[in-house]
Amino acid sequence: SPLAGFSMSHALICEPELPSYQQKSSCLTCNQCYSPVGRCILQKKEKLMFLSDFDGTLSLGNHIVKEKDIMAIRAFATSHVFGLISGRDPISLMLVCQKYHIPYDVLVCFNGALIIDLHGDILYEQPITCDIDAFLCDIKCSNAYTYHAVGYHNVCLGYREPLHEASLAFEKVQFEKFHKVSNISKLDKLYMFTCEFPDEDHALRYAQHINEVFPALHTSANKRFIDVTKKGVTKGNVLPFLASYYDIDNHHIYTIGDSYNDIDLIQNSYGFAIIGNQALMKHAKKCVHDVSEALAFIKS
């Protein structure tokens, strides 16, 4: 599939400046993996699974992925299953992994609405299929700066007037390579709405409103953004599918996150929380500073 499109969510307003690491090498089995040191999932035995959120977790405040996190992931991925679980779209996550040379077996996108394997093949999907006219009227009357509808390869952009400066930056940087369509009906499939609000408080209140008023939709807040997906789509709800697909016991699944949309993820696994968000930290088995610290704990 064409590598067009970037991320959905707050930390994607500025795509990270990418440091240069060693050249990647091909998978020993399938010759298609992006991993520089990892092995194909077919070779991995006695597996553990580690799923990491990206924005605010693997990529922190300055949007740089730390080299020690990358090296820890590479070491883990040689024998176990590693994946990213994010509100981002799949193309954005593939690009990030390619540029940082991060080995992965699975990408959970749109907060669980779409799962693809290391070849880009769809393993699982839950697109929005309900009538969204009433929701669109509601969001247009809210104080959201943006309300973008996102498919696999394309996006339908929506703004309130006048355009907010940050929203203009979002479109210029993030959707430059996205195929834009003029109407939501022209999307390949609709997986998510991502909406930007003035601040975190407004986002939290509107997320609660959507969950109360529109029973066919699910909304989660992530800083001053909300992600709207099909009812039942959450990061935590994909864990049984992944455990079955990769033949991994539930107690061998580890996860890490930093925000409200990660709560059910870490509740339903051995979950780590990045130190900072008290609402999330109280649900975690362990609180850590970064991904490498979590992986070191698992190794010990």
Side-chain angles (χ1 to χ4, degrees):
S1 42
L3 294 180
F6 283 81
S7 105
M8 306 302 87
S9 211
H10 73 287
L12 306 180
I13 289 178
C14 295
E15 187 67 15
E17 180 183 347
L18 300 169
S20 177
Y21 294 108
Q22 0 174 330
Q23 292 294 317
K24 64 180 181 180
S25 59
S26 297
C27 170
L28 300 177
T29 298
C30 68
N31 202 37
Q32 296 183 50
C33 306
Y34 299 136
S35 169
V37 294
R39 295 181 297 171
C40 180
I41 186 67
L42 297 176
Q43 295 180 316
K44 298 180 180 181
K45 308 295 183 183
E46 303 299 324
K47 301 183 293 287
L48 305 177
M49 175 180 283
F50 186 80
L51 299 171
S52 175
D53 174 53
F54 187 75
D55 299 294
T57 301
L58 183 56
S59 174
L60 301 177
N62 56 4
H63 309 307
I64 298 294
V65 180
K66 293 184 288 189
E67 186 169 3
K68 69 174 183 176
D69 285 344
I70 295 174
M71 299 309 294
I73 290 170
R74 289 178 181 176
F76 180 86
T78 59
S79 301
H80 306 291
V81 177
F82 175 77
L84 294 177
I85 184 162
S86 171
R88 286 192 179 214
D89 64 279
I91 305 304
S92 171
L93 291 177
M94 284 191 282
L95 286 171
V96 165
C97 290
Q98 285 178 320
K99 291 180 180 179
Y100 282 100
H101 309 317
I102 297 173
Y104 69 87
D105 299 294
V106 62
L107 298 176
V108 181
C109 315
F110 303 123
N111 289 331
L114 177 68
I115 302 177
I116 63 172
D117 66 11
L118 72 174
H119 307 300
D121 294 332
I122 295 176
L123 305 180
Y124 172 97
E125 60 180 341
Q126 290 289 323
I128 296 173
T129 55
C130 64
D131 186 349
I132 57 170
D133 289 345
F135 166 75
L136 286 174
C137 290
D138 195 282
I139 192 71
K140 289 175 183 179
C141 294
S142 74
N143 62 347
Y145 293 144
T146 66
Y147 42 95
H148 302 322
V150 191
Y152 195 131
H153 302 299
N154 48 20
V155 63
C156 182
L157 302 174
Y159 296 100
R160 282 178 67 235
E161 297 288 350
L163 294 183
H164 187 258
E165 182 179 350
S167 301
L168 290 171
F170 188 96
E171 178 180 2
K172 181 178 180 181
V173 175
Q174 295 308 318
F175 295 117
E176 180 183 1
K177 297 184 179 181
F178 234 125
H179 176 61
K180 304 179 189 69
V181 298
S182 58
N183 191 288
I184 292 175
S185 63
K186 296 181 180 180
L187 292 174
D188 43 14
K189 289 182 182 178
L190 173 58
Y191 290 105
M192 175 185 284
F193 285 94
T194 180
C195 311
E196 176 194 0
F197 285 83
D199 53 46
E200 184 173 345
D201 185 56
H202 282 88
L204 285 169
R205 289 205 305 268
Y206 194 73
Q208 182 179 2
H209 164 73
I210 292 298
N211 287 330
E212 291 172 354
V213 175
F214 298 99
L217 298 174
H218 172 78
T219 306
S220 56
N222 189 3
K223 305 298 190 293
R224 71 174 191 275
F225 290 77
I226 66 167
D227 297 326
V228 183
T229 53
K230 182 179 179 179
K231 184 70 172 181
V233 169
T234 69
K235 291 183 177 182
N237 282 349
V238 303
L239 294 177
F241 170 83
L242 292 171
S244 174
Y245 185 85
Y246 289 104
D247 191 24
I248 298 176
D249 292 336
N250 289 335
H251 63 279
H252 286 160
I253 297 178
Y254 299 84
T255 64
I256 186 169
D258 76 303
S259 194
Y260 299 101
N261 63 344
D262 298 311
I263 289 177
D264 79 320
L265 176 68
I266 68 171
Q267 284 178 325
N268 291 290
S269 61
Y270 192 104
F272 297 88
I274 296 293
I275 293 172
N277 185 331
Q278 296 297 324
L280 181 69
M281 289 168 60
K282 67 182 181 182
H283 297 287
K285 297 289 193 300
K286 185 174 178 60
C287 299
V288 295
H289 293 91
D290 52 35
V291 167
S292 62
E293 184 180 345
L295 288 173
F297 178 83
I298 294 171
K299 184 178 179 179
S300 67

